[in-house]
Amino acid sequence: EAQVTQNPRYLITVTGKKLTVTCSQNMNHEYMSWYRQDPGLGLRQIYYSMNVEVTDKGDVPEGYKVSRKEKRNFPLILESPSPNQTSLYFCASMLTLSHTEAFFGQGTRLTVV
Amino acid sequence: DAKTTQPTSMDCAEGRAANLPCNHSTISGNEYVYWYRQIHSQGPQYIIHGLKNNETNEMASLIITEDRKSSTLILPHATLRDTAVYYCIVRVALAGGTSYGKLTFGQGTILTVHP
C-alpha cells in the first residue's frame, strides 16, 4: 500500500533533549516536505527536499534540521526542542514537483515541556 | 501563490450535495486549483484539482468559473464521514520558481454533515 509513515505518532519530551521524527515513503517520490500545524495558523512548511541531498528551508525552519540521504527517508531533527515547538507535525511527499497529489503521513503530535 | 478565501464553516444534510465555494480572484494563468481535506487531525488528503475545465473523480466534482476567479467543490452525496476541514489551494504545478512545491493551506472550511 502506498503510504507515508511517520514515527512516533505521539511524543512528550523535555526542553533541550534532542529528538528525531522519522518519515518514510514507499512510492519512490522525489519531493518530500515537513509541515507543522498549530491552531489558528494552519499548516506551515518547515523544510522541503526536491531529491536526495537537496533540501531547503520553508516558511518556519528555525529550530529544525532535516536530511535526505536516501530517497525514501526524510527525518526531522530538533536539536534542542523548546516549548514553542509543541505542535502537530506532518510529513508529505509528491512524485515530482510537477505532479499534483501530495501524500501526507498520519501526523506526529509533539509536546515539549 | 494566489490567496484563497473560503467560508469558515458550512452544514450539509446527509445524502444531499455539499457545495463548497472558494474565491481565488488573484489566480495566475499557470496556477492550478487544488482541494484537500483533513479529517480530525489526520494528514490532509488530496481530493481533486483543475486548471480551467470542470473536473470529476470518484470523490468529487470541481467547477471552475470561466474567469477562474472562483471555484466550487461538490460532494454529490455527502455522508457523515465527509465531515472535515476542506482546503482550497492554488499553486503552480510546473517546475520553476521557489514556491511551486509548497502547499499553502489557509484556514479552510469546516464542513459538518448531519443526519
Side-chain angles (χ1 to χ4, degrees):
Chain A
E1 181 190 350
Q3 59 186 5
V4 178
T5 303
Q6 294 178 228
N7 279 297
R9 295 290 311 280
Y10 302 90
L11 178 61
I12 301 174
T13 190
V14 296
T15 298
K17 185 176 180 183
K18 180 179 178 180
L19 67 92
T20 300
V21 184
T22 64
C23 174
S24 180
Q25 49 91 6
N26 62 359
M27 298 168 279
N28 202 37
H29 284 178
E30 288 184 358
Y31 182 87
M32 298 184 74
S33 62
W34 277 101
Y35 292 81
R36 62 177 287 174
Q37 185 172 31
D38 303 289
L41 296 176
L43 283 106
R44 295 177 292 167
Q45 192 181 52
I46 303 170
Y47 267 95
Y48 64 93
S49 168
M50 293 195 283
N51 215 322
V52 176
E53 302 292 1
V54 181
T55 63
D56 210 342
K57 296 176 181 178
D59 294 323
V60 288
E62 295 77 22
Y64 305 94
K65 282 174 55 176
V66 292
S67 69
R68 188 93 181 273
K69 294 185 169 54
E70 343 159 61
K71 206 170 193 179
R72 63 183 294 126
N73 296 323
F74 189 45
L76 179 70
I77 303 154
L78 285 73
E79 294 269 4
S80 183
S82 63
N84 65 10
Q85 292 178 297
T86 293
S87 187
L88 180 58
Y89 291 87
F90 290 103
C91 179
S93 73
M94 279 194 281
L95 181 58
T96 66
L97 278 169
S98 61
H99 279 71
T100 56
E101 181 178 357
F103 292 81
F104 284 80
Q106 328 91 296
T108 296
R109 190 169 289 282
L110 172 66
T111 302
V112 183
V113 297
Chain B
D1 290 337
K3 197 173 172 181
T4 62
T5 306
Q6 299 176 251
T8 303
S9 63
M10 294 184 67
D11 284 340
C12 178
E14 191 177 19
R16 304 298 294 269
N19 297 286
L20 291 92
C22 179
N23 231 298
H24 32 79
S25 57
T26 59
I27 193 169
S28 302
N30 61 351
E31 285 181 315
Y32 285 67
V33 180
Y34 296 79
W35 283 84
Y36 283 77
R37 73 179 182 185
Q38 186 176 25
I39 297 173
H40 193 246
S41 297
Q42 295 177 21
Q45 175 191 24
Y46 166 83
I47 301 173
I48 199 167
H49 77 281
L51 183 62
K52 49 185 173 184
N53 297 323
N54 297 337
E55 303 287 346
T56 296
N57 64 20
E58 64 279 0
M59 285 183 72
S61 294
L62 174 60
I63 309 297
I64 302 174
T65 57
E66 197 166 334
D67 64 6
R68 304 212 320 125
K69 292 184 187 300
S70 66
S71 60
T72 302
L73 177 76
I74 302 172
L75 307 178
H77 305 287
T79 70
L80 299 178
R81 287 181 295 180
D82 291 321
T83 292
V85 180
Y86 287 78
Y87 297 99
C88 170
I89 296 163
V90 293
R91 80 165 180 99
V92 177
L94 300 177
T98 57
S99 66
Y100 57 99
K102 181 172 63 178
L103 299 171
T104 301
F105 289 83
Q107 297 303 309
T109 296
I110 301 170
L111 174 69
T112 303
V113 180
H114 50 85

